[in-house]
Amino acid sequence: MLNFNFQAPTRILFGQGETNKLGKEIRKHGSRVLLVYGGGSIKKSGLYDQVVQILADHAITCIELSGVQPNPRIDSVRQGVTLCRKHQLDFVLAVGGGSSLDCAKAIAAGVKYEGDPWDFFIGKAFIKEALPIGSILTLAATGSEMNPFTVISNPETGEKLGTGSTRLNPRFSILDPVHTFSVSAEQTAAGTADIMSHVFEQYFSPTPGTYIQDRMAEAMLKTCIKYGPLAIAEPDNYEARSNLMWTSSLALNGLLSTGKITDWATHDIEHKLSALYDITHGLGLAILTPYWMKQVLNEQTAAKMATYARNVWDITETDDMQAALEGIAQTANFFRSLGIPATFKDIGLNTDQLTEIAADVTSKGSLGSFKILTYEDVLNILQSAYWGTGF
Amino acid sequence: MLNFNFQAPTRILFGQGETNKLGKEIRKHGSRVLLVYGGGSIKKSGLYDQVVQILADHAITCIELSGVQPNPRIDSVRQGVTLCRKHQLDFVLAVGGGSSLDCAKAIAAGVKYEGDPWDFFIGKAFIKEALPIGSILTLAATGSEMNPFTVISNPETGEKLGTGSTRLNPRFSILDPVHTFSVSAEQTAAGTADIMSHVFEQYFSPTPGTYIQDRMAEAMLKTCIKYGPLAIAEPDNYEARSNLMWTSSLALNGLLSTGKITDWATHDIEHKLSALYDITHGLGLAILTPYWMKQVLNEQTAAKMATYARNVWDITETDDMQAALEGIAQTANFFRSLGIPATFKDIGLNTDQLTEIAADVTSKGSLGSFKILTYEDVLNILQSAYWGTGF
């Protein structure tokens, strides 16, 4: 186990009806709010009206930034910064999923910075200050509600990049599982895959001796495997939605990465794919993951991948390599059982830019850590995931 | 799953050598420190000298309160409060295990309160303010390093009572597993039992639908079962010590109690025992636990106890009641394998006060929640645990 720091400063208000505490929570930090949200889903569900009413009841000024897209764009961030400055806002509230949250975070940092907020993502500037942020989560997926990270896309440059700062930890996040009842089967599947991918990126690590972290990671994977299908079959199943929602936060709040090197190769590849093809993040991850697993399986990694197969999928095979292969097959089958397409071909991508992606993600040196990936490795993952080779 | 709030504001600095960051961490909050510790173990290990040197290097004034005992007493708290006031101290640093930490917390609150600090424990006063607290942990057991609770004994009244406040969360806790290399086999066993008991108190709950919490609880129990014996056999095994140490914090930082009613009957009984007989907390818990498990096992509770048996002890028995009984037997055997005496008779207690304890812990109404215990239940647990009935 490596040395680490851990702190989870975001106040989580979890459960049905917790939205009513919104006004009081914001009032601890500010009174002039930028409300960041996506499309019409929160208007359709009635959550938008509820939020606006609560803000009015607490005499909180509210300026809106709507239309934040999946794979949120730097243009929305710039727009939000302008609004905050123009109206002298002092708090950013995201209502939605990870896209609204990530956009809100980038805005909160951008307001306190004189240059262009894209500078944070290309390493030209560091986040030293930010407006306080809060969120009402409507999708169990990214974990952004309980962590300091933000990922933003720049269509002009074809980049999707992340940054982070302790200043970006939301002061509070309201997690009411009822708000996720209306999430579609496809989005529930993608969200479940996103949570599982976050766990995989931290579970498959070259660091030995992280027993407690690994068993907790398996607990989260089992939760996704149990409740992902149930939430799709019964969208208003509170038990399923609540377990997925809390797991989404726990999977990326720093707990699983304590004391270990993490991988994130699959995310790096997917971010480039999303930037070029604008596909749903969770779908991209679900398609890539089994192929990544096959690519990294070797004599060195077989033992850990066999542990995954046995502890998560109850595979009884005693040979490590064989057990690992069975675990990978189960993973692929599970994602398909959620209705996720098996290949990039199935979602209408083309092969034009696969070599470009492989070159790009390996251009900055090593990619991944569980097994460090070369250009050839990444190209093989992408081509296999395009054609569905091996499954 | 019930509604809940969660926040883990304590900054954990984990790993070998992290003690060197002490001065910088304290300086964020204060410069005049009360150093709270127990006996000579930190002097013997060299940690005391290191701490004093770091404080001097950072121009931090240091006043000492030493001699804090296991089951820390209200007298030590009063003494600490007097010292803080006399020397106008602004920070309380505990170096040791849960006893030093709990004492430091009570002092930190007591300084800001005009009355007697025991008032907090008997419900006569609430903690509204406290000095900032930090800790260097030397024993994996109580979890006090990452939570807002403190338990203090009052020998005059024969009481051992707890209280809590968000003001008592340590600002930081330094967890260097190397500091636990010198912990004796007996204390390592008691600490492991204490961690496991914290998990049990939260795992065995009447609340349904807490799948993610339950799987994480099992992860922590497995960690204790794997590494408790290893840390006893190889006291300087870093992997064992680090897994136990991080698990001790995770087991009682609020994570496992999210969304559920918790039990704490075993702790309530043990606190009364400790107050009257001054036995080691972890030993008392280890002796009581299997008898508590037997007492609460019935048609309603068998399914959950069978889940425990299967998921933690790999028991394959399909009948719930039988599987539960096998799990209880494994629990008892495990504590004995750590060298913990099996009965209260074995540690030289007498039976004089068993009825008094049973009457006392059930006097305030219901005790426990997984199964609510009556006076007769508690007396049966105590008598069985005294004579070793049934194992």
CSV table of all heavy atoms in Angstrom, one decimal, chain A residues 3-12 14-16 18 209 211-212 215 219 223 226-227 243 246-247 258, chain B residues 3-12 14-16 18 209 211-212 215 219 223 226-227 243 246-247 258:
chain,number,residue,atom,x,y,z
A,3,ASN,N,1.6,5.5,0.3
A,3,ASN,CA,1.1,6.6,1.1
A,3,ASN,C,0.0,7.3,0.4
A,3,ASN,O,0.0,7.4,-0.8
A,3,ASN,CB,2.3,7.6,1.4
A,3,ASN,CG,3.3,7.0,2.4
A,3,ASN,OD1,3.3,5.8,2.7
A,3,ASN,ND2,4.1,7.9,3.0
A,4,PHE,N,-0.9,7.9,1.2
A,4,PHE,CA,-2.0,8.6,0.5
A,4,PHE,C,-2.6,9.7,1.5
A,4,PHE,O,-2.4,9.6,2.7
A,4,PHE,CB,-3.1,7.7,0.0
A,4,PHE,CG,-3.8,7.0,1.1
A,4,PHE,CD1,-4.9,7.6,1.8
A,4,PHE,CD2,-3.5,5.7,1.5
A,4,PHE,CE1,-5.6,6.9,2.8
A,4,PHE,CE2,-4.2,5.0,2.5
A,4,PHE,CZ,-5.2,5.6,3.2
A,5,ASN,N,-3.2,10.7,0.9
A,5,ASN,CA,-4.1,11.6,1.6
A,5,ASN,C,-5.5,11.3,1.3
A,5,ASN,O,-5.8,10.9,0.1
A,5,ASN,CB,-3.8,13.0,1.2
A,5,ASN,CG,-2.5,13.5,1.8
A,5,ASN,OD1,-1.8,12.8,2.5
A,5,ASN,ND2,-2.1,14.7,1.4
A,6,PHE,N,-6.4,11.4,2.2
A,6,PHE,CA,-7.8,11.2,1.9
A,6,PHE,C,-8.7,12.2,2.8
A,6,PHE,O,-8.4,12.4,3.9
A,6,PHE,CB,-8.3,9.8,2.3
A,6,PHE,CG,-9.8,9.6,2.0
A,6,PHE,CD1,-10.2,9.3,0.7
A,6,PHE,CD2,-10.7,9.7,3.0
A,6,PHE,CE1,-11.6,9.2,0.4
A,6,PHE,CE2,-12.1,9.5,2.8
A,6,PHE,CZ,-12.5,9.3,1.5
A,7,GLN,N,-9.7,12.7,2.1
A,7,GLN,CA,-10.6,13.6,2.7
A,7,GLN,C,-11.9,13.7,1.8
A,7,GLN,O,-11.7,13.7,0.6
A,7,GLN,CB,-10.0,15.0,2.8
A,7,GLN,CG,-10.8,16.0,3.8
A,7,GLN,CD,-10.0,17.3,4.0
A,7,GLN,OE1,-9.2,17.7,3.1
A,7,GLN,NE2,-10.3,18.0,5.1
A,8,ALA,N,-13.0,13.6,2.4
A,8,ALA,CA,-14.3,13.7,1.6
A,8,ALA,C,-15.1,14.8,2.1
A,8,ALA,O,-16.1,14.6,2.9
A,8,ALA,CB,-15.0,12.3,1.7
A,9,PRO,N,-14.8,16.0,1.8
A,9,PRO,CA,-15.4,17.2,2.4
A,9,PRO,C,-16.8,17.5,1.9
A,9,PRO,O,-17.5,18.2,2.6
A,9,PRO,CB,-14.5,18.3,2.0
A,9,PRO,CG,-13.8,17.9,0.7
A,9,PRO,CD,-13.7,16.4,0.8
A,10,THR,N,-17.3,16.9,0.8
A,10,THR,CA,-18.6,17.2,0.3
A,10,THR,C,-19.7,16.6,1.2
A,10,THR,O,-19.6,15.5,1.6
A,10,THR,CB,-18.8,16.6,-1.1
A,10,THR,OG1,-17.9,17.2,-2.0
A,10,THR,CG2,-20.2,16.9,-1.6
A,11,ARG,N,-20.6,17.5,1.6
A,11,ARG,CA,-21.7,17.0,2.4
A,11,ARG,C,-22.8,16.4,1.5
A,11,ARG,O,-23.3,17.0,0.6
A,11,ARG,CB,-22.3,18.3,3.1
A,11,ARG,CG,-23.4,18.0,4.1
A,11,ARG,CD,-23.8,19.3,4.8
A,11,ARG,NE,-25.1,19.3,5.4
A,11,ARG,CZ,-25.4,18.7,6.5
A,11,ARG,NH1,-24.4,18.2,7.3
A,11,ARG,NH2,-26.6,18.7,7.0
A,12,ILE,N,-23.0,15.1,1.8
A,12,ILE,CA,-24.0,14.3,1.0
A,12,ILE,C,-25.3,14.3,1.7
A,12,ILE,O,-25.4,14.0,2.9
A,12,ILE,CB,-23.5,12.9,0.7
A,12,ILE,CG1,-22.2,12.8,0.0
A,12,ILE,CG2,-24.6,12.1,0.0
A,12,ILE,CD1,-22.3,13.3,-1.5
A,14,PHE,N,-28.6,12.5,1.3
A,14,PHE,CA,-29.1,11.4,0.5
A,14,PHE,C,-30.5,10.9,0.9
A,14,PHE,O,-30.8,10.7,2.1
A,14,PHE,CB,-28.1,10.2,0.7
A,14,PHE,CG,-28.4,9.1,-0.3
A,14,PHE,CD1,-27.5,8.9,-1.4
A,14,PHE,CD2,-29.4,8.2,-0.1
A,14,PHE,CE1,-27.7,7.9,-2.3
A,14,PHE,CE2,-29.6,7.1,-1.0
A,14,PHE,CZ,-28.8,7.0,-2.1
A,15,GLY,N,-31.4,10.8,-0.1
A,15,GLY,CA,-32.7,10.2,0.1
A,15,GLY,C,-33.8,11.0,-0.4
A,15,GLY,O,-33.7,12.2,-0.7
A,16,GLN,N,-35.0,10.3,-0.4
A,16,GLN,CA,-36.2,10.9,-0.9
A,16,GLN,C,-36.5,12.2,-0.1
A,16,GLN,O,-36.6,12.1,1.1
A,16,GLN,CB,-37.3,9.9,-0.8
A,16,GLN,CG,-38.6,10.4,-1.4
A,16,GLN,CD,-39.6,9.2,-1.7
A,16,GLN,OE1,-39.4,8.1,-1.3
A,16,GLN,NE2,-40.6,9.5,-2.5
A,18,GLU,N,-34.9,15.0,0.1
A,18,GLU,CA,-33.8,15.8,0.6
A,18,GLU,C,-33.6,17.1,-0.1
A,18,GLU,O,-33.0,18.1,0.3
A,18,GLU,CB,-32.4,15.0,0.6
A,18,GLU,CG,-32.4,13.9,1.5
A,18,GLU,CD,-32.3,14.3,3.0
A,18,GLU,OE1,-31.5,15.1,3.3
A,18,GLU,OE2,-33.0,13.7,3.8
A,209,GLY,N,-0.8,-5.3,-2.0
A,209,GLY,CA,-1.1,-5.1,-0.6
A,209,GLY,C,-2.3,-4.2,-0.3
A,209,GLY,O,-2.5,-3.7,0.8
A,211,TYR,N,-5.5,-4.7,0.0
A,211,TYR,CA,-6.6,-5.7,0.2
A,211,TYR,C,-7.9,-5.0,0.5
A,211,TYR,O,-9.0,-5.3,-0.1
A,211,TYR,CB,-6.2,-6.7,1.4
A,211,TYR,CG,-7.2,-7.8,1.6
A,211,TYR,CD1,-7.0,-9.0,0.9
A,211,TYR,CD2,-8.2,-7.7,2.4
A,211,TYR,CE1,-7.8,-10.1,1.1
A,211,TYR,CE2,-9.1,-8.8,2.6
A,211,TYR,CZ,-8.9,-10.0,2.0
A,211,TYR,OH,-9.8,-11.0,2.2
A,212,ILE,N,-7.9,-4.1,1.5
A,212,ILE,CA,-9.2,-3.5,1.9
A,212,ILE,C,-9.8,-2.7,0.7
A,212,ILE,O,-11.0,-2.8,0.5
A,212,ILE,CB,-9.1,-2.6,3.2
A,212,ILE,CG1,-10.4,-1.9,3.5
A,212,ILE,CG2,-7.9,-1.6,3.1
A,212,ILE,CD1,-11.6,-2.8,3.8
A,215,ARG,N,-11.3,-5.2,-1.9
A,215,ARG,CA,-12.6,-5.9,-1.4
A,215,ARG,C,-13.7,-4.8,-1.5
A,215,ARG,O,-14.8,-5.2,-1.8
A,215,ARG,CB,-12.5,-6.4,0.0
A,215,ARG,CG,-11.4,-7.6,0.2
A,215,ARG,CD,-11.6,-8.8,-0.6
A,215,ARG,NE,-11.1,-8.8,-2.0
A,215,ARG,CZ,-9.8,-8.8,-2.4
A,215,ARG,NH1,-8.9,-8.9,-1.4
A,215,ARG,NH2,-9.5,-8.8,-3.6
A,219,ALA,N,-17.1,-5.0,-3.8
A,219,ALA,CA,-18.5,-4.7,-3.2
A,219,ALA,C,-19.3,-3.7,-4.2
A,219,ALA,O,-20.4,-3.9,-4.4
A,219,ALA,CB,-18.3,-4.0,-1.9
A,223,THR,N,-22.6,-4.5,-6.6
A,223,THR,CA,-23.8,-3.7,-6.4
A,223,THR,C,-24.3,-3.3,-7.8
A,223,THR,O,-25.5,-3.3,-8.1
A,223,THR,CB,-23.5,-2.4,-5.6
A,223,THR,OG1,-23.0,-2.8,-4.3
A,223,THR,CG2,-24.7,-1.6,-5.4
A,226,LYS,N,-25.8,-6.3,-9.5
A,226,LYS,CA,-27.2,-6.7,-9.0
A,226,LYS,C,-28.2,-5.7,-9.4
A,226,LYS,O,-29.3,-6.0,-9.8
A,226,LYS,CB,-27.1,-6.7,-7.5
A,226,LYS,CG,-28.4,-7.1,-6.8
A,226,LYS,CD,-28.2,-7.2,-5.3
A,226,LYS,CE,-29.5,-7.3,-4.5
A,226,LYS,NZ,-30.2,-8.6,-4.6
A,227,TYR,N,-27.9,-4.4,-9.3
A,227,TYR,CA,-29.0,-3.4,-9.4
A,227,TYR,C,-29.1,-2.7,-10.8
A,227,TYR,O,-30.1,-2.1,-11.1
A,227,TYR,CB,-28.8,-2.3,-8.3
A,227,TYR,CG,-29.1,-2.9,-6.9
A,227,TYR,CD1,-28.2,-3.0,-6.0
A,227,TYR,CD2,-30.4,-3.3,-6.6
A,227,TYR,CE1,-28.5,-3.6,-4.7
A,227,TYR,CE2,-30.8,-3.8,-5.4
A,227,TYR,CZ,-29.8,-3.9,-4.4
A,227,TYR,OH,-30.1,-4.4,-3.2
A,243,ASN,N,-29.1,2.2,-4.3
A,243,ASN,CA,-27.8,1.5,-4.3
A,243,ASN,C,-26.9,2.0,-5.4
A,243,ASN,O,-25.7,2.2,-5.2
A,243,ASN,CB,-28.0,0.0,-4.3
A,243,ASN,CG,-28.2,-0.6,-2.9
A,243,ASN,OD1,-27.2,-0.8,-2.2
A,243,ASN,ND2,-29.4,-0.8,-2.5
A,246,TRP,N,-25.7,5.8,-4.6
A,246,TRP,CA,-24.6,5.9,-3.6
A,246,TRP,C,-23.3,5.3,-4.1
A,246,TRP,O,-22.2,5.8,-3.8
A,246,TRP,CB,-25.1,5.3,-2.3
A,246,TRP,CG,-24.3,5.5,-1.0
A,246,TRP,CD1,-24.2,4.6,0.0
A,246,TRP,CD2,-23.5,6.6,-0.7
A,246,TRP,NE1,-23.4,5.1,1.0
A,246,TRP,CE2,-22.9,6.4,0.6
A,246,TRP,CE3,-23.2,7.9,-1.3
A,246,TRP,CZ2,-22.0,7.3,1.3
A,246,TRP,CZ3,-22.3,8.7,-0.6
A,246,TRP,CH2,-21.7,8.4,0.6
A,247,THR,N,-23.4,4.2,-4.8
A,247,THR,CA,-22.2,3.6,-5.3
A,247,THR,C,-21.5,4.5,-6.4
A,247,THR,O,-20.3,4.5,-6.4
A,247,THR,CB,-22.6,2.2,-6.0
A,247,THR,OG1,-23.2,1.4,-5.0
A,247,THR,CG2,-21.3,1.5,-6.5
A,258,THR,N,-7.1,5.1,-2.7
A,258,THR,CA,-6.2,5.3,-1.6
A,258,THR,C,-5.1,4.2,-1.7
A,258,THR,O,-5.4,3.0,-1.8
A,258,THR,CB,-6.9,5.2,-0.2
A,258,THR,OG1,-7.7,3.9,-0.2
A,258,THR,CG2,-7.8,6.3,0.0
B,3,ASN,N,-32.8,7.6,4.5
B,3,ASN,CA,-32.1,8.9,4.2
B,3,ASN,C,-30.9,9.1,5.1
B,3,ASN,O,-30.9,8.6,6.3
B,3,ASN,CB,-33.0,10.1,4.4
B,3,ASN,CG,-34.1,10.2,3.3
B,3,ASN,OD1,-34.3,9.2,2.6
B,3,ASN,ND2,-34.7,11.3,3.2
B,4,PHE,N,-29.9,9.7,4.7
B,4,PHE,CA,-28.7,10.0,5.5
B,4,PHE,C,-27.9,11.2,5.0
B,4,PHE,O,-28.1,11.7,3.9
B,4,PHE,CB,-27.8,8.8,5.5
B,4,PHE,CG,-27.2,8.4,4.2
B,4,PHE,CD1,-26.0,9.1,3.8
B,4,PHE,CD2,-27.7,7.4,3.4
B,4,PHE,CE1,-25.4,8.7,2.5
B,4,PHE,CE2,-27.1,7.1,2.1
B,4,PHE,CZ,-26.0,7.8,1.7
B,5,ASN,N,-27.1,11.7,5.9
B,5,ASN,CA,-26.1,12.7,5.6
B,5,ASN,C,-24.7,12.0,5.7
B,5,ASN,O,-24.5,11.2,6.6
B,5,ASN,CB,-26.1,13.9,6.6
B,5,ASN,CG,-27.3,14.8,6.3
B,5,ASN,OD1,-28.1,14.5,5.4
B,5,ASN,ND2,-27.5,15.8,7.2
B,6,PHE,N,-23.8,12.4,4.9
B,6,PHE,CA,-22.5,11.9,5.0
B,6,PHE,C,-21.4,12.9,4.7
B,6,PHE,O,-21.6,13.6,3.7
B,6,PHE,CB,-22.2,10.6,4.1
B,6,PHE,CG,-20.8,10.1,4.3
B,6,PHE,CD1,-20.5,9.3,5.3
B,6,PHE,CD2,-19.8,10.4,3.3
B,6,PHE,CE1,-19.2,8.8,5.4
B,6,PHE,CE2,-18.5,9.9,3.4
B,6,PHE,CZ,-18.2,9.1,4.5
B,7,GLN,N,-20.4,13.0,5.4
B,7,GLN,CA,-19.3,13.9,5.2
B,7,GLN,C,-18.1,13.3,6.0
B,7,GLN,O,-18.3,12.9,7.1
B,7,GLN,CB,-19.6,15.3,5.7
B,7,GLN,CG,-18.7,16.4,5.2
B,7,GLN,CD,-19.2,17.8,5.6
B,7,GLN,OE1,-20.0,17.9,6.6
B,7,GLN,NE2,-18.8,18.8,4.8
B,8,ALA,N,-16.9,13.3,5.4
B,8,ALA,CA,-15.7,12.8,6.1
B,8,ALA,C,-14.7,13.9,6.0
B,8,ALA,O,-13.7,13.9,5.2
B,8,ALA,CB,-15.2,11.6,5.5
B,9,PRO,N,-14.8,14.9,6.9
B,9,PRO,CA,-14.0,16.1,6.8
B,9,PRO,C,-12.5,15.9,7.3
B,9,PRO,O,-11.7,16.8,6.9
B,9,PRO,CB,-14.7,17.2,7.6
B,9,PRO,CG,-15.5,16.4,8.6
B,9,PRO,CD,-15.8,15.1,8.0
B,10,THR,N,-12.3,14.9,8.0
B,10,THR,CA,-10.9,14.7,8.6
B,10,THR,C,-9.9,14.4,7.5
B,10,THR,O,-10.2,13.5,6.6
B,10,THR,CB,-10.9,13.6,9.6
B,10,THR,OG1,-11.7,13.9,10.7
B,10,THR,CG2,-9.4,13.4,10.1
B,11,ARG,N,-8.8,15.2,7.4
B,11,ARG,CA,-7.8,14.9,6.5
B,11,ARG,C,-6.9,13.8,7.0
B,11,ARG,O,-6.3,13.9,8.0
B,11,ARG,CB,-7.0,16.2,6.3
B,11,ARG,CG,-5.9,16.2,5.3
B,11,ARG,CD,-5.3,17.6,5.1
B,11,ARG,NE,-4.0,17.5,4.5
B,11,ARG,CZ,-3.7,17.5,3.2
B,11,ARG,NH1,-4.7,17.5,2.4
B,11,ARG,NH2,-2.5,17.5,2.8
B,12,ILE,N,-6.9,12.7,6.2
B,12,ILE,CA,-6.1,11.5,6.6
B,12,ILE,C,-4.7,11.6,5.9
B,12,ILE,O,-4.7,11.7,4.6
B,12,ILE,CB,-6.8,10.2,6.2
B,12,ILE,CG1,-8.1,10.1,7.0
B,12,ILE,CG2,-5.9,9.0,6.5
B,12,ILE,CD1,-8.0,9.9,8.5
B,14,PHE,N,-1.8,9.2,5.4
B,14,PHE,CA,-1.5,7.8,5.6
B,14,PHE,C,-0.2,7.3,5.1
B,14,PHE,O,0.1,7.6,3.9
B,14,PHE,CB,-2.7,7.0,5.0
B,14,PHE,CG,-2.7,5.5,5.4
B,14,PHE,CD1,-3.6,5.1,6.4
B,14,PHE,CD2,-1.8,4.6,4.9
B,14,PHE,CE1,-3.6,3.8,6.8
B,14,PHE,CE2,-1.8,3.3,5.3
B,14,PHE,CZ,-2.7,2.9,6.2
B,15,GLY,N,0.6,6.6,5.9
B,15,GLY,CA,1.7,6.0,5.4
B,15,GLY,C,3.0,6.3,6.1
B,15,GLY,O,3.1,7.2,6.9
B,16,GLN,N,4.0,5.5,5.8
B,16,GLN,CA,5.3,5.6,6.5
B,16,GLN,C,5.9,7.0,6.2
B,16,GLN,O,6.0,7.4,5.1
B,16,GLN,CB,6.2,4.5,5.9
B,16,GLN,CG,7.6,4.5,6.6
B,16,GLN,CD,8.3,3.2,6.4
B,16,GLN,OE1,7.9,2.4,5.5
B,16,GLN,NE2,9.4,2.9,7.2
B,18,GLU,N,4.7,9.9,7.2
B,18,GLU,CA,3.8,11.0,7.1
B,18,GLU,C,3.9,11.9,8.4
B,18,GLU,O,3.4,13.1,8.4
B,18,GLU,CB,2.4,10.5,6.9
B,18,GLU,CG,2.1,9.9,5.6
B,18,GLU,CD,2.2,10.8,4.4
B,18,GLU,OE1,1.6,11.9,4.5
B,18,GLU,OE2,2.8,10.5,3.4
B,209,GLY,N,-32.3,-3.4,2.2
B,209,GLY,CA,-32.0,-2.7,1.0
B,209,GLY,C,-30.6,-1.9,1.0
B,209,GLY,O,-30.3,-1.1,0.2
B,211,TYR,N,-27.5,-2.8,0.4
B,211,TYR,CA,-26.6,-3.8,-0.2
B,211,TYR,C,-25.2,-3.3,-0.3
B,211,TYR,O,-24.3,-4.0,0.1
B,211,TYR,CB,-27.1,-4.1,-1.6
B,211,TYR,CG,-26.4,-5.3,-2.3
B,211,TYR,CD1,-26.8,-6.6,-2.2
B,211,TYR,CD2,-25.3,-5.0,-3.1
B,211,TYR,CE1,-26.1,-7.6,-2.9
B,211,TYR,CE2,-24.6,-6.0,-3.8
B,211,TYR,CZ,-25.1,-7.3,-3.7
B,211,TYR,OH,-24.4,-8.3,-4.3
B,212,ILE,N,-25.0,-2.1,-0.8
B,212,ILE,CA,-23.6,-1.6,-0.9
B,212,ILE,C,-22.9,-1.5,0.4
B,212,ILE,O,-21.8,-1.8,0.6
B,212,ILE,CB,-23.6,-0.3,-1.7
B,212,ILE,CG1,-22.1,0.3,-1.8
B,212,ILE,CG2,-24.5,0.8,-1.2
B,212,ILE,CD1,-21.1,-0.6,-2.5
B,215,ARG,N,-22.0,-5.0,1.7
B,215,ARG,CA,-20.8,-5.7,1.0
B,215,ARG,C,-19.6,-5.0,1.5
B,215,ARG,O,-18.5,-5.6,1.6
B,215,ARG,CB,-21.0,-5.6,-0.5
B,215,ARG,CG,-22.2,-6.3,-1.1
B,215,ARG,CD,-22.2,-7.8,-0.9
B,215,ARG,NE,-22.8,-8.2,0.4
B,215,ARG,CZ,-24.1,-8.2,0.7
B,215,ARG,NH1,-25.0,-7.8,-0.1
B,215,ARG,NH2,-24.5,-8.6,1.9
B,219,ALA,N,-16.3,-6.6,3.4
B,219,ALA,CA,-14.9,-6.3,2.9
B,219,ALA,C,-14.0,-6.0,4.1
B,219,ALA,O,-12.9,-6.5,4.2
B,219,ALA,CB,-14.9,-5.1,1.9
B,223,THR,N,-10.9,-8.2,5.9
B,223,THR,CA,-9.6,-7.6,6.1
B,223,THR,C,-9.1,-7.9,7.5
B,223,THR,O,-7.9,-8.3,7.7
B,223,THR,CB,-9.7,-6.1,5.8
B,223,THR,OG1,-10.2,-5.9,4.5
B,223,THR,CG2,-8.3,-5.5,5.9
B,226,LYS,N,-8.2,-11.6,7.7
B,226,LYS,CA,-6.9,-11.9,7.0
B,226,LYS,C,-5.7,-11.4,7.8
B,226,LYS,O,-4.7,-12.0,7.9
B,226,LYS,CB,-6.9,-11.3,5.6
B,226,LYS,CG,-5.7,-11.6,4.8
B,226,LYS,CD,-5.8,-11.1,3.4
B,226,LYS,CE,-4.5,-11.1,2.6
B,226,LYS,NZ,-4.1,-12.4,2.2
B,227,TYR,N,-5.8,-10.1,8.2
B,227,TYR,CA,-4.6,-9.4,8.7
B,227,TYR,C,-4.4,-9.4,10.2
B,227,TYR,O,-3.3,-9.1,10.7
B,227,TYR,CB,-4.5,-8.0,8.1
B,227,TYR,CG,-4.2,-8.0,6.6
B,227,TYR,CD1,-5.2,-7.6,5.7
B,227,TYR,CD2,-3.0,-8.4,6.2
B,227,TYR,CE1,-4.9,-7.6,4.3
B,227,TYR,CE2,-2.7,-8.4,4.8
B,227,TYR,CZ,-3.7,-8.0,3.9
B,227,TYR,OH,-3.4,-8.0,2.6
B,243,ASN,N,-3.3,-2.4,6.3
B,243,ASN,CA,-4.7,-2.8,6.0
B,243,ASN,C,-5.6,-2.7,7.3
B,243,ASN,O,-6.7,-2.2,7.2
B,243,ASN,CB,-4.8,-4.2,5.4
B,243,ASN,CG,-4.6,-4.2,3.9
B,243,ASN,OD1,-5.6,-3.9,3.2
B,243,ASN,ND2,-3.4,-4.4,3.4
B,246,TRP,N,-6.1,1.3,8.1
B,246,TRP,CA,-7.0,2.0,7.3
B,246,TRP,C,-8.4,1.5,7.5
B,246,TRP,O,-9.4,2.2,7.6
B,246,TRP,CB,-6.6,1.9,5.8
B,246,TRP,CG,-7.3,2.7,4.8
B,246,TRP,CD1,-7.6,2.4,3.5
B,246,TRP,CD2,-7.9,4.0,5.0
B,246,TRP,NE1,-8.3,3.4,2.9
B,246,TRP,CE2,-8.5,4.4,3.7
B,246,TRP,CE3,-8.1,4.9,6.0
B,246,TRP,CZ2,-9.2,5.6,3.5
B,246,TRP,CZ3,-8.7,6.2,5.8
B,246,TRP,CH2,-9.3,6.5,4.6
B,247,THR,N,-8.5,0.2,7.8
B,247,THR,CA,-9.9,-0.4,8.1
B,247,THR,C,-10.4,0.1,9.4
B,247,THR,O,-11.6,0.3,9.5
B,247,THR,CB,-9.8,-1.9,8.1
B,247,THR,OG1,-9.3,-2.4,6.8
B,247,THR,CG2,-11.1,-2.6,8.3
B,258,THR,N,-24.4,4.6,6.8
B,258,THR,CA,-25.2,5.4,5.9
B,258,THR,C,-26.5,4.6,5.6
B,258,THR,O,-26.4,3.4,5.2
B,258,THR,CB,-24.5,5.7,4.6
B,258,THR,OG1,-24.0,4.5,4.0
B,258,THR,CG2,-23.3,6.7,4.8
